[in-house]
Amino acid sequence: MNQTNTTNRYYAAMVIAKAKDLAEFREKFQQDQDFAEVEQRIREQGTYQFIIGGQDDRFGVIVALPDRTFAACGAMNSWVCDSYEEAKELAERLSRPDETSEGHEVLVMSFTPEA
């Protein structure tokens, strides 16, 4: 049974890097950012979202993958969709090779917006 939860939103997230150990991403975070909070949130919720370089229209996410590895991804606010199907179609478009890239690995993520 495939029901859509109307409170969830979905987005395409382009994989930038993968790691076997979450600590491999520690050096990418700014010195004033508490990486322990990142680790705790990923253990509890499976993801950690953050703004990339002060850009309001872009965000990053680190996600725990089913194979017990981790992926750091980049996304844009314009990639947030109302349905899983819409986000999946966008992810498929972004993953295709074209004249400017060889294609990318793109994940479909979900979140529940704060009320």
Side-chain angles (χ1 to χ4, degrees):
M1 192 181 237
N2 190 6
Q3 294 181 340
T4 301
N5 183 338
T6 57
T7 61
N8 281 352
R9 302 285 309 272
Y10 302 88
Y11 61 95
M14 192 173 297
V15 175
I16 297 168
K18 285 188 172 179
K20 291 183 179 182
D21 188 321
L22 187 57
E24 293 177 44
F25 294 133
R26 182 185 308 269
E27 66 191 39
K28 304 289 184 191
F29 279 77
Q30 298 174 3
Q31 294 290 7
D32 61 342
Q33 194 162 9
D34 184 5
F35 197 75
E37 177 188 337
V38 174
E39 293 173 312
Q40 180 179 352
R41 180 114 26 105
I42 291 172
R43 274 195 303 275
E44 292 172 357
Q45 300 173 7
T47 64
Y48 178 80
Q49 290 185 356
F50 55 95
I51 294 176
I52 296 177
Q55 301 290 322
D56 289 339
D57 64 335
R58 301 176 195 175
F59 61 97
V61 61
I62 297 177
V63 59
L65 300 172
D67 67 358
R68 297 180 188 226
T69 61
F70 302 90
C73 306
M76 299 182 71
N77 289 342
S78 61
W79 296 353
V80 176
C81 305
D82 291 325
S83 72
Y84 173 82
E85 292 76 18
E86 185 181 1
K88 184 178 175 195
E89 287 174 17
L90 174 59
E92 289 171 358
R93 282 197 312 271
L94 292 170
S95 66
R96 283 189 214 125
D98 61 21
E99 61 276 350
T100 61
S101 88
E102 297 178 12
H104 299 279
E105 182 177 4
V106 182
L107 305 175
V108 175
M109 309 285 287
S110 69
F111 70 100
T112 303
E114 293 180 13

